[in-house]
Amino acid sequence: MNSISKDLPLSDTDERSACPATNGSRRAGILGLISRTRRSSTDIDAAKPTQASQPDAGGQRIVLGSEILLDRVSKHFSNKTVLDEISLKLDSGSFFALLGPSGSGKSTLLNLIAGFERPDSGDIRIRGRSVVGVPAYARQVGVVFQSYALFPHLNVAENLAYPLRRQGIRSRAIHARVNRMLELVRLGGYADMRITQLSGGQQQRVALARALVAEPDVLLMDEPMAALDKSLRDDLQVEIKQLQQSLGATIIYITHDQREALALADQIGVLNEGRFEQVGDAVSIYARPASAFVARFLTGASVLNGRAGGSAADGWYLEDENGARLPGQWHDRTPSSPGAKAEMAINPALVKITASGAHPMGWSIDARVAAVLYVGESTIVHLTLQGGSTLVAREPGASGRSVGEPVRVGWRPEDAFLFEVLHK
Ligand SMILES: Nc1ncnc2c1ncn2[C@@H]1O[C@H](COP(=O)(O)OP(=O)(O)OP(=O)(O)O)[C@@H](O)[C@H]1O
Ligand SMILES: [Mg+2]
């Protein structure tokens, strides 16, 4: 089922000049309600890029469709393919986290949606309308850049006020909104400071506040909290999530931090070399990563290489490069041939270590503790398995393990995913 959004929405300027005060007023009226109909699903749907339209009760045309739609979007820089036929459908009100290694194309994708780059091929639709060729300022999206992009000649308050002035909002209302937003990002006393007098983290908060102050329907954020300390990040994560829910905004949020992605987003996409490795809801992508790459990236999984062995009846295993047989399950399909090249991904949180004797998982392998990293709520234990393969486990609290200690290691076979290696 498609969500419903207006074909040609009132511009934000029109809407907010008429009633700039509250979120409630922005959502008043049936079209406002229709345009903010929430959807829960996000998926890749390259085959159906367009919308059906039908008249609404008042005779105005409304369009069935998604908030942001990318249809086979490609981008090259000097013959290098940076984005390769990316398709994505985000429904109104989704919070989509874009994850991926450095250079995978995340910022480029955001710049294409924002209008600062033009795709070489494919279509980009926002609120049902193609925006390819539409200048950035006319797309009505809020953007927080990786590089802040603040106006150095304006002070903090003027930076925040700028997008509101462009919307024609009156000075008194601007003043109130700017002050409220500065309080939110804990820069209450900084309104008159020059941008060049601020630290990197403070500048990042100004950039975040400037994007949020305009209360946009579509908000694109490129690592908006990368330079902030943990306590401020934790607080702002809650604020951003609550703000998104109260505004019904659609957010694309780039982060390197998988915990942040899981905490904030209801949908996650993992980009690798310009292609999505997996797109899905946060819970299922964490529980069932579609590739060893996604498992490593999202859960910090250990990835072991070897050959496939076993059968459906007796259970599958990976025979690792050192001859150890490690039980697991195939992510989707069984191997094309016995002994096929395979890799196994194991989430560290699901590895169980015991001192000796019977193992609660019913099977186990000898190992030795190679390193112990206490990180507060848990301890990361690096293990060398019998034969020499290495594996990481995460134990709750301070585990008290010591380097060199002999242990037994096991996991539920259904928690270790096997993937056939087809092209290596
Ligand atoms: N304007 C440009 N001209 C040439 N190459 C570019 C340009 N912008 C990006 N690239 C290249 O495109 C690739 C993807 O860059 P992009 O900035 O999208 O990566 P990213 O995923 O955002 O990385 P990071 O996590 O480091 O920010 C990189 O190899 C980069 O060098
Ligand atoms: Mg980037």
Side-chain angles (χ1 to χ4, degrees), residues 77 80 82 101-108 117 146 223 256:
F77 285 118
K80 184 184 172 210
V82 174
S102 186
S104 56
K106 304 181 298 295
S107 295
T108 304
E117 297 281 359
Q146 198 167 4
E223 305 203 37
H256 268 110

Side-chain angles (χ1 to χ4, degrees), residues 162-342:
Y162 181 80
L164 302 180
R165 281 196 215 295
R166 282 191 61 142
Q167 290 175 13
I169 296 173
R170 278 170 295 130
S171 293
R172 192 178 296 175
I174 289 178
H175 188 69
R177 270 164 75 167
V178 166
N179 284 341
R180 190 178 66 82
M181 201 50 72
L182 286 177
E183 290 296 331
L184 184 72
V185 297
R186 296 198 211 150
L187 288 174
Y190 290 74
D192 299 325
M193 296 273 277
R194 304 209 72 79
I195 296 299
T196 47
Q197 295 174 306
L198 303 180
S199 73
Q202 288 166 339
Q203 291 185 31
Q204 192 162 49
R205 278 182 275 161
V206 176
L208 188 60
R210 187 179 61 180
L212 294 175
V213 78
E215 299 182 352
D217 290 340
V218 173
L219 189 51
L220 309 174
M221 305 169 101
D222 196 345
E223 305 203 37
M225 295 202 265
L228 307 184
D229 62 64
K230 183 166 169 8
S231 118
L232 191 54
R233 282 171 83 113
D234 288 349
D235 288 356
L236 281 176
Q237 278 175 16
V238 177
E239 296 291 352
I240 287 176
K241 188 78 185 166
Q242 286 176 344
L243 207 76
Q244 185 244 358
Q245 282 165 351
S246 72
L247 290 177
T250 307
I251 294 183
I252 298 183
Y253 188 101
I254 295 179
T255 175
H256 268 110
D257 180 346
Q258 61 268 55
R259 279 171 169 249
E260 189 165 278
L262 290 164
L264 286 174
D266 38 44
Q267 306 288 327
I268 292 177
V270 182
L271 207 56
N272 184 20
E273 294 182 354
R275 283 175 164 266
F276 277 123
E277 285 263 335
Q278 189 172 9
V279 178
D281 73 88
V283 174
S284 62
I285 204 170
Y286 182 84
R288 277 190 76 79
S291 66
F293 176 89
V294 173
R296 193 189 281 124
F297 210 81
L298 208 64
T299 70
S302 306
V303 178
L304 298 166
N305 297 301
R307 300 265 166 200
S311 65
D314 299 331
W316 299 101
Y317 59 83
L318 178 89
E319 184 162 325
D320 77 9
E321 287 162 337
N322 304 300
R325 291 187 172 187
L326 307 170
Q329 66 153 322
W330 292 97
H331 179 267
D332 46 11
R333 57 195 156 75
T334 52
S336 51
S337 62
K341 228 174 157 187

